[in-house]
Amino acid sequence: MIIKFIYFPLSLHNYKESSSSFEVILYLSYFESRLLANFDNFNDILEKLEFCEKLGIKNVILEPKNNIIAIPLELKSKIRLETKINTLYRINLRLNNSEDFKRRIKHFNNFSDILSIESLNKEVQLRAARDSRVDIVSFSNSELIKTLTPGVISLIKQNNSFLEFSLAPLMVKNKVNQSKNLRNLYRFIQLALKSKVNCIISGNFDDMYDFRHPRALISICYSLLGVPLDRAKKIFKINPISLLERVNRRNTNDFEPQVRLIKGGET
Amino acid sequence: MDLTQNSLLKSIWHSIWRYFGLKEANKIGLWLVELNIDKEYGIIRFSHQTKETIISALSFVREIDGIKVILSPIKTSGTIRSIKSDN
């Protein structure tokens, strides 16, 4: 078996990707489900997207670092003009308690982008897993992942929303922390696989030199986290599409399959 | 950038040993077929059973001789001819 690879030294590489149609991108390529960018600085967004393009990433879900409630349409169209990458958007809420959850979630009725919730508080996690406005309950760092329970997984599964893990904790330099994070990720990913919940695994890397192509992340999932290859590919390819379909369904007010609207008084 | 075949192979082997240990390392049969510094690409050969291991190990290489790098796979093939024809 032979593999060809590119390497990026400090100067950016000038490898060019051939452009593909939107349909091909959507159905044949993998997703980076979480890319943090500073939305106050357009150059930061462009720089990160350019870097992803050079790595060969075709679909990216962008998340603002700053506390923005909605991403302006002008910014979205500006980004679309500047990059070949298929960009989608998500908002992540870091919440401390239930009151905080109730207060902030009401701004997200009929929200057109993906909404994810992160919290160390178990009550908030349970509420988020039950709430149909929440698309993703995220356990993306080493502290959060330890708070995941089978109860939350079960509720996420019932509500058809998504559970998110991130591989960023594996990119720490400290060997002790890295092995602890690997162990935790392995434990909880196995728990999620066993319960057959909808799962998303994202990169969520902060440093640009930690960015990896989703295909490389699939290999990590398979070889180090014990995820079967077909499941790993599904997590990076099909599940993000299902997530987008869920968001679209919410916006078009369609009901879940087998759910019927009963008019008042009808029996 | 001063990237040599030696330093690259050393980093890849280091990554393989660190994450997969002796049991996997002895199955790999790693060869660096080509390293083109100007065009910033390389070609490596290994046992087909260890493809995922190698891709993971390449992903975990973050630094070579103190310089930050990313080794990102762009194509996998069964023959050297087809992989070279894609230049």
Side-chain angles (χ1 to χ4, degrees):
Chain A
M1 183 69 63
I2 296 111
I3 195 164
K4 186 175 179 181
F5 62 88
I6 43 170
Y7 71 91
F8 295 95
L10 280 172
S11 64
L12 291 179
H13 183 77
N14 50 14
Y15 170 74
K16 285 190 181 73
E17 280 284 314
S18 59
S19 60
S20 325
S21 72
F22 179 72
E23 288 77 15
V24 173
I25 286 172
L26 207 61
Y27 291 105
L28 290 180
S29 51
Y30 303 109
F31 278 76
E32 168 53 82
S33 313
R34 195 174 191 181
L35 179 68
L36 284 168
N38 182 2
F39 273 49
D40 287 337
N41 181 358
F42 188 65
N43 287 337
D44 181 59
I45 304 172
L46 274 191
E47 196 184 7
K48 286 187 171 166
L49 287 175
E50 217 170 88
F51 203 83
C52 288
E53 211 173 315
K54 278 166 182 143
L55 276 176
I57 303 173
K58 301 239 171 88
N59 304 298
V60 162
I61 302 179
L62 273 174
E63 181 192 313
K65 267 183 188 172
N66 18 9
N67 289 330
I68 296 175
I69 294 178
I71 299 155
L73 281 173
E74 304 91 70
L75 184 66
K76 285 184 187 176
S77 47
K78 211 171 153 191
I79 292 171
R80 200 180 308 131
L81 285 174
E82 294 285 338
T83 179
K84 278 185 212 157
I85 297 182
N86 177 31
T87 41
L88 301 147
Y89 302 89
R90 60 183 271 177
I91 295 281
N92 183 56
L93 301 179
R94 285 179 188 83
L95 305 168
N96 298 323
N97 51 46
S98 294
E99 281 67 42
D100 202 10
F101 177 81
K102 281 185 223 162
R103 201 180 61 244
R104 292 181 68 184
I105 197 78
K106 63 184 173 196
H107 301 296
F108 293 92
N109 297 335
N110 299 323
F111 186 56
S112 60
D113 295 319
I114 299 160
L115 178 66
S116 69
I117 300 281
E118 257 179 10
S119 177
L120 285 166
N121 186 314
K122 202 177 164 188
E123 208 181 316
V124 175
Q125 290 171 5
L126 291 169
R127 274 181 183 275
R130 256 185 249 127
D131 200 305
S132 59
R133 287 167 290 190
V134 179
D135 302 304
I136 303 173
V137 185
S138 178
F139 293 87
S140 57
N141 67 42
S142 48
E143 287 307 307
L144 279 167
I145 201 167
K146 286 189 262 182
T147 62
L148 179 60
T149 57
V152 175
I153 294 179
S154 172
L155 279 172
I156 293 171
K157 195 181 169 188
Q158 281 175 43
N159 195 31
N160 259 334
S161 45
F162 288 79
L163 175 67
E164 186 190 35
F165 297 106
S166 155
L167 297 184
L170 296 184
M171 284 295 186
V172 293
K173 265 196 166 178
N174 185 307
K175 284 184 185 178
V176 177
N177 290 341
Q178 193 184 35
S179 64
K180 275 183 191 171
N181 294 342
L182 183 64
R183 172 75 192 136
N184 284 330
L185 260 173
Y186 179 85
R187 261 178 66 201
F188 290 102
I189 285 180
Q190 288 303 319
L191 188 68
L193 289 181
K194 214 172 142 188
S195 61
K196 292 179 182 163
V197 65
N198 292 331
C199 200
I200 294 258
I201 298 179
S202 57
N204 189 24
F205 302 115
D206 220 15
D207 182 2
M208 282 217 287
Y209 276 90
D210 287 341
F211 286 9
R212 295 292 180 271
H213 191 280
R215 181 63 187 82
L217 303 183
I218 288 173
S219 289
I220 294 174
C221 288
Y222 171 73
S223 56
L224 291 170
L225 300 170
V227 183
L229 204 55
D230 56 331
R231 291 283 299 270
K233 283 183 178 172
K234 191 183 162 209
I235 286 169
F236 282 89
K237 201 188 247 182
I238 297 169
N239 286 5
I241 295 170
S242 311
L243 172 66
L244 296 174
E245 281 170 1
R246 181 192 147 93
V247 175
N248 286 341
R249 217 171 29 238
R250 188 180 55 213
N251 293 332
T252 51
N253 289 326
D254 278 351
F255 297 107
E256 292 282 325
Q258 296 175 354
V259 175
R260 190 164 66 93
L261 181 67
I262 299 172
K263 287 176 191 165
E266 191 183 320
T267 51
Chain B
M1 183 189 167
D2 270 356
L3 181 79
T4 59
Q5 295 202 353
N6 255 343
S7 58
L8 177 72
L9 273 175
K10 206 174 150 187
S11 307
I12 297 173
W13 272 118
H14 181 263
S15 177
I16 293 166
W17 273 96
R18 179 167 168 181
Y19 297 101
F20 301 97
L22 174 68
K23 207 179 161 203
E24 276 294 306
N26 67 27
K27 293 179 200 161
I28 290 171
L30 182 67
W31 282 93
L32 182 59
V33 176
E34 190 181 331
L35 179 64
N36 192 327
I37 305 281
D38 300 328
K39 291 187 180 171
E40 293 170 357
Y41 76 83
I43 297 173
I44 51 170
R45 202 179 88 185
F46 52 88
S47 151
H48 76 279
Q49 290 158 328
T50 57
K51 181 183 146 190
E52 304 302 329
T53 309
I54 273 288
I55 297 177
S56 304
L58 288 178
S59 311
F60 280 113
V61 175
R62 302 167 73 198
E63 246 182 54
I64 298 177
D65 295 336
I67 298 161
K68 282 188 172 184
V69 294
I70 298 174
L71 301 180
S72 183
I74 48 173
K75 191 183 176 185
T76 315
S77 167
T79 61
I80 292 179
R81 189 201 286 173
S82 75
I83 215 155
K84 281 190 174 172
S85 67
D86 202 41
N87 278 348

